[in-house]
Amino acid sequence: MNTLQRKMKQDFESKALFDQARLYAFEYLDNIEDMDVFPSEKNLEGLNHFDVPLQQDTIDAKEVIHELNTFGAPGTIAQIGGKYHGFVNGGVVPASLGAKWLSDVWDQCGGLYLTSPVNAKLEEVCESWLKDIFDLPKETVAGFVSGTSMANLCGLAAARFQLLKNLGWDVHENGLNGAPNLRILAHQQVHASVKKTLAMLGYGKNSIEWLEADDQGRLVLDALPKLDNSCLVLLQAGNANTGSFDDFDTVCDIANEVGAWVHIDGAFGLWARATKALAYLTKGMEKASSWAVDGHKTLNTPYDSGIIMCRYPDAMISALQASGEYIIYSEQRDPLLYTPELSKRSRAIELWATMKYLGKDGIDQMVTTFYERAKQLATGLEEIGYQVINEVVFNQVLISCGSEENTKNVITCIQQSGEAWLGGTIWQGKPAIRISICSWMTNEKDIEDLISLFEKVRS
Ligand SMILES: *Cc1c(COP(=O)(O)O)cnc(C)c1O
């Protein structure tokens, strides 16, 4: 054993390094409700401390962790607390964090059954639980990926493969040059990640049939042209601004009659299906061909959790392999068949832990509470004279303060207060404040505080 090996072995065995990391982590958790929701200027400047050339020598492991805690922790946003409402970022369920810690130590390569039997098993279990929660057809398969962007990519690759196959073209053998044209139909309010994904698959924005969306960001049904079996229709469960849902029931019926493919981007909204009160928003979604959803938003798993579900296993498995020869259905589940990756984190572990911990009722309650807090906020802000410009059907609230200047001013004041964080957006050509409720920690008091903050910063 050389000196370096001896040093590393000692670091593993003494565990002092891990104890230190644990203490810092506990300190962070204890402080989460009091820290600035977004780092102060001073703390952001502290990040410049990392700007040094890599030194020559090996250093002490505890020093590494110490430096990370001293300059890195103050440069974090309080993502896991109850006062961060930017974008649509979720918090983190305690059991999922614990499971991640434990499985980080296992460091499993999740690609094959052979490289991680436990991950393969938990993927299987998660797949079956998700099908149950979302009430999807029994033939549906799920792939566990980094987020909904990647889930969309997988779903649309499956759609491309299958639709072209139906038209007599093998896209893996022959590529896209000379392939029959697919008709891609999307409304103007699909998420940016969908546009990016389509472009990556060879369908740039000028090759899409753009359809009209209404003032909530839903497809206008009258705008839907006659479909055929070369059509891929993109729908959305949860518009990233308004939280609105497309009419899956109607569109899927039309699409299924002619053999078109419907993909639903449900990054955060698909979870409405897991509740009694809000499931109505997803009526008919089980009739689609593929669904993309995040664990790390509404379900509050740690980051790096997206899921693609597809009712046509052959299409998905074929689309994600370099060639048909790779398709070997082994006795056990080989996760790589369902994702573009080979080596990958065993991310099903945290997903499993989150669902196991919450149970069906816990998931229902957590998601429904986001909606209740969003309603509380919308009502409270209206009472003090702000204009709520969306129908609050899920967890998103859009606020207008009249002029562009006022809106920007309110956003800046709240962001700089350190007491909450929310972002701006442009809705229907006008600047708006966008608030997302999706951390389990956000409670009535946090919303009351946020309403007071809005009252205080009003110019
Ligand atoms: C967040 C989001 C995405 C992208 O998901 P990531 O997990 O960030 O990759 C796609 N669609 C919608 C509607 C989203 O809200």
Side-chain angles (χ1 to χ4, degrees):
M1 213 186 259
N2 63 32
T3 330
L4 181 60
Q5 284 175 311
R6 247 193 315 268
K7 175 181 152 80
M8 291 205 263
K9 188 135 193 289
Q10 206 177 5
D11 279 336
F12 256 151
E13 284 171 3
S14 91
K15 302 191 188 66
L17 148 74
F18 306 118
D19 272 338
Q20 192 191 28
R22 186 172 58 102
L23 284 178
Y24 290 147
F26 286 175
E27 227 175 83
Y28 188 87
L29 286 179
D30 287 342
N31 191 32
I32 192 67
E33 290 186 89
D34 302 318
M35 71 187 269
D36 282 344
V37 178
F38 193 86
S40 65
E41 283 298 320
K42 182 170 149 280
N43 287 341
L44 289 175
E45 273 164 31
L47 294 173
N48 297 332
H49 179 92
F50 292 112
D51 284 329
V52 291
L54 183 59
Q55 84 286 346
Q56 206 64 40
D57 301 327
T58 304
I59 66 167
D60 186 55
K62 280 173 77 176
E63 241 179 80
V64 176
I65 301 301
H66 180 71
E67 182 175 330
L68 189 59
N69 187 58
T70 308
F71 299 102
T76 60
I77 61 158
Q79 165 75 46
I80 66 168
K83 294 175 187 291
Y84 184 82
H85 310 296
F87 305 94
V88 191
N89 295 4
V92 65
V93 161
S96 67
L97 193 54
K100 180 154 187 252
W101 280 21
L102 181 59
S103 62
D104 273 348
V105 173
W106 299 347
D107 193 31
Q108 298 288 284
C109 173
L112 294 167
Y113 177 82
L114 274 178
T115 56
S116 182
V118 61
N119 179 61
K121 172 51 78 182
L122 293 178
E123 282 203 4
E124 235 169 47
V125 173
C126 286
E127 179 183 274
S128 121
W129 288 359
L130 289 165
K131 277 156 62 174
D132 180 31
I133 290 174
F134 292 134
D135 195 17
L136 298 180
K138 63 177 183 319
E139 64 273 20
T140 302
V141 286
F144 300 88
V145 291
S146 56
T148 293
S149 300
M150 191 52 86
N152 281 333
L153 182 73
C154 297
L156 300 185
R160 183 182 69 174
F161 181 90
Q162 189 62 47
L163 290 169
L164 286 174
K165 187 170 170 224
N166 294 348
L167 299 172
W169 186 267
D170 183 331
V171 69
H172 276 154
E173 293 300 315
N174 306 321
L176 277 179
N177 283 350
N181 284 338
L182 293 186
R183 290 174 59 205
I184 319 279
L185 299 102
H187 63 69
Q188 291 132 350
Q189 282 295 329
V190 293
H191 194 263
S193 71
V194 172
K195 297 178 195 166
K196 177 158 120 175
T197 298
L198 286 169
M200 287 165 72
L201 289 168
Y203 300 103
K205 73 173 188 294
N206 294 338
S207 69
I208 314 289
E209 293 180 40
W210 292 106
L211 309 176
E212 196 190 334
D214 68 11
D215 65 348
Q216 298 299 311
R218 295 170 298 218
L219 173 68
V220 173
L221 289 177
D222 287 346
L224 194 69
K226 198 164 157 41
L227 301 179
D228 58 52
N229 68 347
S230 71
C231 289
L232 165 55
V233 186
L234 291 149
L235 298 181
Q236 190 163 253
N239 175 283
N241 282 309
T242 64
S244 69
F245 290 65
D246 284 322
D247 181 346
F248 310 128
D249 203 36
T250 308
V251 178
C252 289
D253 280 347
I254 297 170
N256 288 342
E257 211 154 285
V258 295
W261 184 295
V262 175
H263 173 80
I264 299 178
D265 170 6
F268 64 96
L270 214 70
W271 291 102
R273 180 72 152 201
T275 70
K276 286 179 207 76
L278 306 170
Y280 77 94
L281 293 164
T282 65
K283 181 163 183 261
M285 77 167 225
E286 72 283 356
K287 293 184 277 190
S289 300
S290 53
W291 308 263
V293 64
D294 269 326
H296 55 222
K297 289 180 177 174
T298 312
L299 190 65
N300 282 222
T301 69
Y303 269 95
D304 192 49
S305 180
I307 305 139
I308 175 62
M309 295 169 291
C310 178
R311 80 178 323 144
Y312 303 111
D314 285 343
M316 193 162 110
I317 292 169
S318 303
L320 300 179
Q321 309 312 312
S323 92
E325 289 150 37
Y326 279 78
I327 307 174
I328 302 158
Y329 295 94
S330 60
E331 297 269 299
Q332 258 85 23
R333 178 188 172 97
D334 281 322
L336 68 82
L337 290 176
Y338 309 92
T339 74
E341 305 157 282
L342 205 170
S343 301
K344 60 167 190 147
R345 279 191 61 243
S346 293
R347 45 176 79 96
I349 297 173
E350 300 103 77
L351 182 61
W352 169 85
T354 311
M355 292 194 283
K356 181 83 187 176
Y357 171 74
L358 291 170
K360 288 183 185 176
D361 285 349
I363 295 172
D364 183 335
Q365 199 180 348
M366 185 171 76
V367 177
T368 306
T369 303
F370 298 155
Y371 165 68
E372 285 165 358
R373 295 289 73 76
K375 289 296 271 188
Q376 180 194 347
L377 179 67
T379 310
L381 288 180
E382 257 168 357
E383 275 167 16
I384 59 168
Y386 282 93
Q387 190 195 351
V388 177
I389 53 181
N390 67 322
E391 292 166 22
V392 179
V393 294
F394 198 51
N395 67 331
Q396 301 291 110
V397 183
L398 277 187
I399 300 294
S400 163
C401 311
S403 74
E404 183 168 345
E405 199 191 332
N406 278 350
T407 305
K408 282 198 174 138
N409 188 40
V410 169
I411 294 172
T412 310
C413 287
I414 292 182
Q415 288 181 348
Q416 287 177 351
S417 72
E419 291 170 43
W421 204 93
L422 38 72
T425 186
I426 302 290
W427 184 248
Q428 311 268 298
K430 296 202 187 85
I433 302 173
R434 172 183 181 221
I435 304 150
S436 181
I437 310 295
C438 55
S439 169
W440 65 266
M441 218 184 260
T442 302
N443 59 31
E444 287 95 332
K445 173 78 167 50
D446 293 316
I447 299 296
E448 283 163 22
D449 291 348
L450 183 57
I451 295 168
S452 305
L453 196 55
F454 262 95
E455 191 152 30
K456 202 165 89 188
V457 303
R458 184 179 15 211
S459 45

